[in-house]
Amino acid sequence: VLDLAGISKDYRMGESLMRVLNSVDLRVERGEYLAIIGPSGSGKSTLMNLVGCLDRPTEGSYHLNGKDVGELGDDALADIRNREIGFIFQSFNLLARQDALHNVAQPLVYRGLRHGKRQKRAIETLTSVGLADRLHHRPNQLSGGQRQRVAIARALVGEPALILADEPTGNLDSKSSEEIMRLFDDLNARGHTMVIVTHENEVAEHTRRIVRLRDGRIESDTPTARA
Amino acid sequence: VLDLAGISKDYRMGESLMRVLNSVDLRVERGEYLAIIGPSGSGKSTLMNLVGCLDRPTEGSYHLNGKDVGELGDDALADIRNREIGFIFQSFNLLARQDALHNVAQPLVYRGLRHGKRQKRAIETLTSVGLADRLHHRPNQLSGGQRQRVAIARALVGEPALILADEPTGNLDSKSSEEIMRLFDDLNARGHTMVIVTHENEVAEHTRRIVRLRDGRIESDTPTARA
Ligand SMILES: Nc1ncnc2c1ncn2[C@@H]1O[C@H](COP(=O)(O)OP(=O)(O)OP(=O)(O)O)[C@@H](O)[C@H]1O
Ligand SMILES: Nc1ncnc2c1ncn2[C@@H]1O[C@H](COP(=O)(O)OP(=O)(O)OP(=O)(O)O)[C@@H](O)[C@H]1O
Ligand SMILES: [Mg+2]
Ligand SMILES: [Mg+2]
């Protein structure tokens, strides 16, 4: 379902060019459960943004469900993002002036659900991450871990086939973390493809395959004990 | 050095009042090394903001170095914040349009250091958190863990007597995390008072006392094995 070949990404810094991803090859089949690990600055979020169609590579090709993403215009790319992918950002990216309920109901607009159905789905998903009593809080009226859980709920509410989570438990205590991992396990058991960037071993241990990045390259790609 | 007595904090939500801290008593002596732990939403960041003079309690008193903080006007409070306290925010709060070097040199302006000295100190501190080669990157040109380390460097650069860290390693891999904890251990060994909110046991194990919050109250306050 994901086929990245020879993917490189450069950023311009003043006069020079910084290569932050270098010749990355990665194939992920439907229904896989993957962790991406590696040091701070090794390129994990950059890779996730490419996989999530939020950015384009400098070199290489990316096929998503057989479609060559490089051939698609911005509108077609936005369409894929909204329908097929749920993205949990490392820095959450919530709408600051809307409450938790509105933030989580938002993706369902693209799916053509009417208002009552959107509200119901959003409330269910917020309840599943423990925020039933925070529906009407705006992001600046929420704790760090609560904002993180709103970001998680927003990515899951439309039950997208591909879920990309960039450090989804960084601001959570171990109990909230375990609840989120149980949600993810359950989604994967029901056929969703899960790719999770994490710094935490406890999270990586839930997956079946670990891809390790270092300095923009894949250093290793191995099954876990659960495979 | 920190004396909180009967501290409560309420927020208004529409018609009702939410009590998020409830009668908190906390005394911290000079040179202590404390962790504050507890579930997401239990009031840790709210408590840190009160201790850091970024917010005022609804009830109770707070004496910092013998001064009654409740008696001080906003200017005096800002003065204390800038000179005596280094604060690492859970969401970093960096200046978006300035590079890492400028962000870290900023607090030294309040200490009356001239430009050359500020640059030198800022470069040293950024080097100590592993960012010597990222001085001229702005926050949106940095990874999540790199932004976190800029926030850490900014809090440490003026070597303030009191360091308050709200989840300082949430976005860091274990190696970067250990480097930061060694920095903190070293600062405490040199007499700085350290208060660290954390969800990670590995971090709490470096401290000598653990205060546990639950639903806005202190549930327990106990020495660690290192005490
Ligand atoms: N817009 C940009 N311009 C220049 N360099 C950038 C830009 N964005 C990211 N970088 C650099 O690219 C590298 C990889 O960043 P990335 O965010 O992918 O790292 P990461 O593996 O997610 O790190 P972390 O674990 O800290 O989140 C970093 O060294 C960063 O400084
Ligand atoms: N401005 C506000 N208005 C209303 N409620 C608020 C406001 N700010 C915070 N809260 C609520 O206060 C509670 C405590 O928030 P706080 O940020 O202190 O939690 P925390 O312990 O730091 O959590 P985390 O571990 O998730 O960072 C939360 O339940 C939050 O929803
Ligand atoms: Mg990242
Ligand atoms: Mg917090």
Side-chain angles (χ1 to χ4, degrees):
Chain A
V1 65
L2 305 178
D3 194 346
L4 292 89
I7 290 290
S8 292
K9 178 72 185 179
D10 298 333
Y11 286 115
R12 167 148 277 116
M13 276 300 294
E15 294 289 304
S16 56
L17 219 52
M18 272 182 67
R19 175 144 289 200
V20 310
L21 286 178
N22 200 340
S23 266
V24 167
D25 298 321
L26 185 66
R27 276 189 62 93
V28 180
E29 310 291 330
R30 185 170 308 283
E32 282 205 59
Y33 198 173
L34 224 90
I36 298 180
I37 66 179
S40 174
S42 55
K44 306 179 296 297
S45 296
T46 303
L47 179 60
M48 289 290 266
N49 288 341
L50 293 175
V51 172
C53 300
L54 291 151
D55 193 13
R56 294 177 186 277
T58 309
E59 286 176 24
S61 71
Y62 173 30
H63 289 80
L64 173 63
N65 298 325
K67 296 195 272 305
D68 184 348
V69 169
E71 296 289 300
L72 302 176
D74 288 349
D75 285 351
L77 223 54
D79 205 49
I80 288 182
R81 279 202 304 273
N82 293 326
R83 287 166 191 274
E84 302 185 28
I85 301 174
F87 203 114
I88 300 162
F89 293 87
Q90 187 170 8
S91 52
F92 317 156
N93 293 358
L94 301 178
L95 300 170
R97 281 176 293 185
Q98 305 292 348
D99 64 15
L101 183 55
H102 189 108
N103 266 279
V104 174
Q106 244 261 324
L108 299 177
V109 173
Y110 298 111
R111 295 187 175 246
L113 272 72
R114 55 178 184 68
H115 177 79
K117 192 93 180 83
R118 295 201 301 269
Q119 295 284 90
K120 179 165 176 295
R121 247 324 267 155
I123 291 169
E124 280 172 13
T125 312
L126 278 162
T127 303
S128 73
V129 297
L131 293 178
D133 58 357
R134 290 288 183 276
L135 302 179
H136 300 295
H137 286 235
R138 292 188 305 276
N140 68 355
Q141 296 170 319
L142 291 171
S143 78
Q146 290 167 347
R147 286 176 208 154
Q148 186 154 42
R149 284 181 277 157
V150 175
I152 291 168
R154 182 180 60 177
L156 304 188
V157 70
E159 299 211 284
L162 173 63
I163 291 162
L164 305 177
D166 196 347
E167 316 237 19
T169 61
N171 281 284
L172 300 180
D173 55 283
S174 49
K175 179 156 171 293
S176 307
S177 236
E178 283 163 19
E179 289 168 8
I180 295 306
M181 290 318 296
R182 269 199 295 274
L183 267 184
F184 286 2
D185 290 353
D186 180 64
L187 281 159
N188 184 251
R190 292 191 278 124
H192 298 262
T193 310
M194 314 287 295
V195 182
I196 305 176
V197 170
T198 185
H199 283 310
E200 296 179 38
N201 279 329
E202 297 83 354
V203 170
E205 281 163 13
H206 281 254
T207 66
R208 292 194 294 276
R209 175 181 168 196
I210 294 182
V211 171
R212 182 185 288 271
L213 279 188
R214 179 176 295 280
D215 296 327
R217 291 174 183 276
I218 292 188
E219 189 178 62
S220 64
D221 183 345
T222 51
T224 67
R226 261 192 209 199
Chain B
V1 66
L2 305 178
D3 193 346
L4 292 91
I7 290 290
S8 293
K9 178 72 185 180
D10 298 331
Y11 286 115
R12 166 148 279 117
M13 276 299 296
E15 295 290 301
S16 56
L17 219 52
M18 273 183 67
R19 176 146 288 201
V20 311
L21 286 178
N22 199 341
S23 266
V24 167
D25 298 320
L26 184 66
R27 276 187 63 93
V28 179
E29 311 291 329
R30 187 169 306 282
E32 283 205 58
Y33 199 173
L34 224 89
I36 298 180
I37 66 179
S40 174
S42 55
K44 306 179 297 296
S45 296
T46 303
L47 180 59
M48 289 291 265
N49 287 341
L50 294 174
V51 172
C53 301
L54 292 151
D55 193 14
R56 294 176 186 276
T58 310
E59 284 175 25
S61 71
Y62 172 31
H63 289 80
L64 173 63
N65 298 325
K67 294 196 274 301
D68 183 348
V69 169
E71 295 290 300
L72 301 175
D74 287 350
D75 285 351
L77 223 54
D79 206 49
I80 288 183
R81 280 203 303 272
N82 294 324
R83 288 166 190 273
E84 302 184 27
I85 301 173
F87 203 115
I88 301 161
F89 293 88
Q90 187 170 6
S91 53
F92 318 155
N93 294 358
L94 302 177
L95 300 170
R97 281 176 292 183
Q98 306 291 349
D99 64 14
L101 183 56
H102 188 109
N103 265 278
V104 174
Q106 244 260 326
L108 299 177
V109 174
Y110 298 110
R111 298 193 172 240
L113 272 72
R114 55 177 184 69
H115 178 79
K117 192 95 178 83
R118 295 201 300 269
Q119 295 283 92
K120 179 166 177 294
R121 247 324 267 156
I123 291 169
E124 281 172 13
T125 313
L126 278 161
T127 303
S128 73
V129 298
L131 293 177
D133 59 356
R134 291 286 183 278
L135 302 180
H136 300 295
H137 286 236
R138 291 188 306 277
N140 67 354
Q141 296 171 319
L142 291 171
S143 77
Q146 289 167 347
R147 285 175 209 155
Q148 186 153 43
R149 283 181 277 158
V150 175
I152 291 168
R154 182 180 60 177
L156 303 189
V157 70
E159 299 211 284
L162 173 63
I163 292 162
L164 305 176
D166 196 347
E167 315 236 20
T169 62
N171 282 284
L172 300 180
D173 55 282
S174 49
K175 180 157 172 293
S176 307
S177 235
E178 283 163 20
E179 289 168 8
I180 295 305
M181 290 317 297
R182 268 198 295 274
L183 266 184
F184 286 2
D185 290 354
D186 180 63
L187 281 159
N188 184 251
R190 291 190 278 125
H192 297 262
T193 311
M194 314 287 295
V195 182
I196 306 178
V197 169
T198 185
H199 283 308
E200 295 178 41
N201 279 329
E202 296 83 352
V203 170
E205 281 163 13
H206 281 254
T207 66
R208 292 194 294 278
R209 175 181 169 196
I210 295 182
V211 172
R212 181 183 290 271
L213 280 188
R214 179 174 295 279
D215 297 328
R217 291 172 184 279
I218 292 187
E219 190 179 60
S220 64
D221 185 346
T222 51
T224 68
R226 260 190 211 200

